[in-house]
Amino acid sequence: MLYAIGAYSGGMTVWVEDNTLTYEYNKFEIERTRLATERIASLLIAEKERRASSRLTRMLNEAKLPMKAAPEELINTEARGLKPAIMRELLQCAWIPHAWNILISGETGTGKSWVASCIATAAIRAGHKTRYFKTSDLLYSLSMTLEDGVYLREREKLAKFKLLILDDFGKVAMNEGEKSILFDIIEDRAGTLSTIIVGQRPYNDWHSFIDNPVIADAVLDRLSRDRHHIKLRGESLRRREASFNDL
């Protein structure tokens, strides 16, 4: 069958076979469907990226890290006792599901908190909920909950974090109540959740700092398995001469 699809100004009509018209129509529909599919896919990818970015921002804010730190910088740093190959393995965060613990020690100003923040940032990027505390602040705030009767509830909140960072460990002396709280925190996480403990005191000096043989033995025993110790060395990064060129 022939169909008229148009006419020139001279009055001549153009006729085509119906199968030709069907072919052109199908090509049009296929192209329109392809463009629509690509548009939808593009929108879905953009929405997925937006949600991932929002989740990352939310988790970083929730972690309360003391500074912004780029894990990539840690891989490229060989100074102060860091070993790039080991740092690369740690930043992959495969150790977190296995509930490993990391101890970071070194003199003041050697970058302990920065290293912990780099590892924590990598953990958050990998989807692990993380929380940072100064050890003395956490122990004090938990000690206040003993009187309010919500101590167990606050400990349960800590258990929601796959990675917990305790900074400045050994800097402030603990009373007997705080020593017991420290044990409870370590006990709650032993074998199930990961902890990074940061401080100037070397691991073999913790016993004298805790100054309670029973609690010290219990804490060290629970941290003795599946741990990695990062020992930083060097002078303080905070020390530098003032220069008018920096003004």
Side-chain angles (χ1 to χ4, degrees):
M1 184 179 292
L2 296 176
Y3 292 90
I5 62 171
Y8 292 108
S9 59
M12 185 176 66
T13 302
V14 178
W15 299 86
V16 296
E17 294 283 351
D18 62 340
N19 58 345
T20 302
L21 186 61
T22 301
Y23 172 75
E24 293 298 331
Y25 176 78
N26 287 341
K27 280 179 60 180
F28 171 76
E29 283 297 308
I30 291 172
E31 181 65 13
R32 187 173 68 170
T33 301
R34 184 185 67 81
L35 293 174
T37 302
E38 289 180 354
R39 176 61 176 166
I40 293 172
S42 178
L43 291 173
L44 290 174
I45 292 173
E47 177 62 16
K48 182 179 179 181
E49 291 176 348
R50 185 193 67 79
R51 292 187 180 186
S53 178
S54 297
R55 183 170 183 267
L56 177 61
T57 300
R58 184 174 66 253
M59 292 178 68
L60 285 169
N61 290 336
E62 184 181 29
K64 307 292 184 184
L65 299 180
M67 63 192 72
K68 291 183 178 180
E72 297 77 16
E73 296 180 3
L74 188 59
I75 296 175
N76 297 324
T77 302
E78 296 188 18
R80 301 185 176 277
L82 295 174
K83 298 179 180 179
I86 293 178
M87 293 301 104
R88 190 175 294 108
E89 290 292 333
L90 291 177
L91 293 177
Q92 290 179 1
C93 298
W95 49 275
I96 293 179
H98 296 279
W100 285 18
N101 300 305
I102 297 178
L103 313 178
I104 304 176
S105 63
E107 297 297 325
T108 182
T110 51
K112 299 182 297 296
S113 297
W114 175 73
V115 171
S117 295
C118 285
I119 297 173
T121 300
I124 293 170
R125 290 179 182 177
H128 301 294
K129 292 191 68 175
T130 301
R131 186 66 163 89
Y132 168 95
F133 290 98
K134 286 194 173 183
T135 304
S136 57
D137 291 346
L138 177 60
L139 296 180
Y140 176 77
S141 63
L142 286 178
S143 67
M144 293 297 99
T145 65
L146 290 170
E147 300 177 0
D148 300 334
V150 294
Y151 175 63
L152 291 178
R153 190 187 311 164
E154 292 302 310
R155 280 171 53 190
E156 289 174 356
K157 289 181 181 179
L158 292 178
K160 295 179 180 179
F161 297 104
K162 294 290 291 182
L163 178 61
L164 180 69
I165 299 104
L166 300 179
D167 200 358
D168 285 338
F169 177 79
K171 187 175 182 180
V172 179
M174 299 179 290
N175 59 39
E176 290 303 311
E178 291 172 338
K179 294 173 186 178
S180 295
I181 292 172
L182 174 66
F183 168 74
D184 287 340
I185 295 172
I186 301 301
E187 168 69 8
D188 289 344
R189 306 183 67 80
T192 57
L193 300 165
S194 292
T195 307
I196 296 178
I197 301 181
V198 185
Q200 295 183 37
R201 293 177 179 271
Y203 186 67
N204 56 13
D205 191 38
W206 286 17
H207 214 284
S208 61
F209 166 71
I210 295 175
D211 196 27
N212 181 314
V214 175
I215 293 178
D217 285 343
V219 168
L220 293 176
D221 177 68
R222 283 155 180 79
L223 291 174
S224 63
R225 182 170 178 246
D226 294 332
R227 74 170 190 269
H228 181 77
H229 195 172
I230 300 174
K231 302 177 183 179
L232 299 179
R233 59 175 184 266
E235 296 183 355
S236 174
L237 295 171
R238 300 186 183 96
R239 297 174 186 168
R240 68 171 185 174
E241 295 294 326
S243 172
F244 287 107
N245 293 329
D246 296 331
L247 299 178

